[in-house]
Amino acid sequence: QVQLLESGGGLVQPGGSLRLSCAASGILFWLYDMGWYRQAPGQQRELVAVITTVGSTNYADSVKGRFTISRDNAKNTEYLQMNSLKAEDTAVYFCNAIRTGSVPREYWGQGTQVTVSS
């Protein structure tokens, strides 16, 4: 059974930091590109950051320079370090695992709430 379990969300003041984690089980983690998405109330889910199997990264313009995505294949875990948080970063953050090729697969976590407010 595949499971992506996010943790690390919570309430933080503007300018603060949080580190999200996503622990994967039931998949060959190193074969998957990993990503973070977020969805604010009334908004569509949007890409925040991705990291490929070889460690290449890409970020949404709105988080460049503030967020850092990383992965630890030995721990089957990806991370999102979020610094200089703003109110507009408030959303539910979802972990995503995607594998392309002849046997494509995609999985989602259940989400973790991040609220940036004073």
Side-chain angles (χ1 to χ4, degrees):
Q1 181 179 359
V2 177
Q3 187 173 22
L4 301 179
L5 185 59
E6 300 103 332
S7 61
L11 173 64
V12 63
Q13 292 187 342
S17 298
L18 282 175
R19 189 194 195 203
L20 304 183
S21 299
C22 172
S25 59
I27 61 172
L28 298 176
F29 183 78
W30 60 93
L31 295 179
Y32 285 75
D33 295 337
M34 299 298 297
W36 289 96
Y37 289 72
R38 67 186 181 188
Q39 187 167 18
Q43 303 294 319
Q44 289 188 331
R45 191 173 297 189
E46 63 175 2
L47 174 68
V48 176
V50 294
I51 183 166
T52 70
T53 56
V54 296
S56 298
T57 59
N58 194 24
Y59 297 90
D61 288 342
S62 59
V63 307
K64 282 181 181 177
R66 300 188 298 122
F67 290 11
T68 302
I69 189 171
S70 61
R71 64 190 296 163
D72 186 336
N73 288 344
K75 296 182 178 180
N76 288 356
T77 301
E78 70 158 343
Y79 305 95
L80 185 69
Q81 178 66 44
M82 304 186 293
N83 299 328
S84 303
L85 282 161
K86 306 175 181 179
E88 50 263 42
D89 295 318
T90 295
V92 178
Y93 284 70
F94 296 90
C95 174
N96 174 265
I98 188 165
R99 178 179 177 181
T100 58
S102 59
V103 186
R105 294 285 187 271
E106 185 173 21
Y107 303 101
W108 292 91
Q110 83 290 346
T112 185
Q113 176 70 47
V114 171
T115 302
V116 184
S117 175
S118 55

